[in-house]
Amino acid sequence: MDVRRTTVRDMRRSNRSVILTGIFRDGPLSRQELSIRTSLSAASVSNLVSELIAEGVVEEAGSVESEGGRPRVLLRVSPTFRYVVGAEVGETRVRVELFDLAMRVLARADHPIHSPTPAMVVKHVLAGLGAVLADAGVRPEQVLGLGVAAAGIVEGDAVVHAQTLGWDAVPLGQMLAEGTDIPIQVDNGANTLGQAEMWFGAGRGATDAVVALVGSGVGAALVADGSSYRGTRSSAGEWGHMTIAYGGRRCRCGADGCLEAYVGAEGVLGRYRELGGRGLSGDEEAAFVGLLDAVSTSEAAATVVTDTVGYLAAGFANLVNLVNPERIVLGGWAGLLLGERYLPLLREEVGKHALRQPYQQVSIVLCELGRDAVALGAATLPVLRLLRDGGVLPPRR
């Protein structure tokens, strides 16, 4: 058995990672607070912080009064040490956003799409990347990485299996890398949404949570004991393709009765048309808003929306019974549109289907970061690598 020894260098990088992660996630923090949080000695914290400051990764950010002593200097990750880019590959658009390391949006580019073929997606992501860098005056060598959120299962070296889009083992990472020297990471969109909400939004403080994405499609990020649960090959969280109705509606994945066929925007609008509903115009999001607005005047709209809330509640109840989360966070553009109007009803309906004890232990809330949190979550992929490496920059190609 090959047993790798932990070297002093490994330990030093691990300690740098712990300190940098604490500053990024919970900062600004003082050296004293870091020592308490990390259980590292004051001398170790001081030495490692001095290294990070000298390298430009961390900077001082003012001071606070202390009890009976000198003011404590606060530390934060330097916002302009490097920049990160997040791209959301949706079914109707590609959105690319540039962030500093305070995760503030510096530039944004949107490209509507009608047929999300791999070639079209790569074209728009690279065009958006060039546009946001030019708009903000940031050079490619200043960019830590490009994180891409895609639909479907993402395996190994950024290979995407998106059955509902007709993508079969698409080497998306490799295709993007042919157009840029910036390091690229790809993950499922529900996972990136979950990452953003767990770090910055409604999931903060929870150790066991589900972040549900409801848009054109449906997915979920599962967080267990503070860590993302991926399964054997990273396909955990395909909640939208759990069977909610045996022999039910045909889903875009080819199976019958999937939750996505009942609560995904495409499925909801399809059920409305099947009931004879009319009068919706515009793109999918505009049509979905029109459906919600028509509830008071259209029997078909009222029926479809009520049933959609019920199906979503049943899906949440299954999560409550199976996963026992302390928090369920509802996001995605369609999920937020539903939740903003029907969250109390949704909670009530979940209680009718879930076991009483785990239901009493769960809170059901809306995403706090808005409809564009997927791109923000994608941008955290290169940040996460930086934190894990203790501020050591990855090699450029």
Side-chain angles (χ1 to χ4, degrees), residues 203-222:
R204 280 179 67 91
T207 56
D208 293 88
V210 177
V211 181
L213 186 155
V214 180
S216 299
V218 176
L222 308 179

Side-chain angles (χ1 to χ4, degrees), residues 323-336:
V323 183
N324 186 210
E326 61 182 292
R327 196 173 304 167
I328 295 177
V329 182
L330 174 59
W333 65 265
L336 286 174

Side-chain angles (χ1 to χ4, degrees), residues 264-283:
E266 183 176 311
V268 172
L269 295 173
R271 288 192 292 117
Y272 176 69
R273 288 189 291 269
E274 289 167 7
L275 287 179
R278 299 179 182 179
L280 303 182
S281 59
D283 60 17

Side-chain angles (χ1 to χ4, degrees), residues 12 27 42 46 94 124 149 186 220-221 227 274 277 308-309 321 376-377 384 393:
R12 193 171 191 83
S46 181
V94 170
H124 286 317
V186 183
S227 299
E274 289 167 7
T308 299
V309 173
N321 293 342
L376 170 62
L384 186 59
L393 295 174

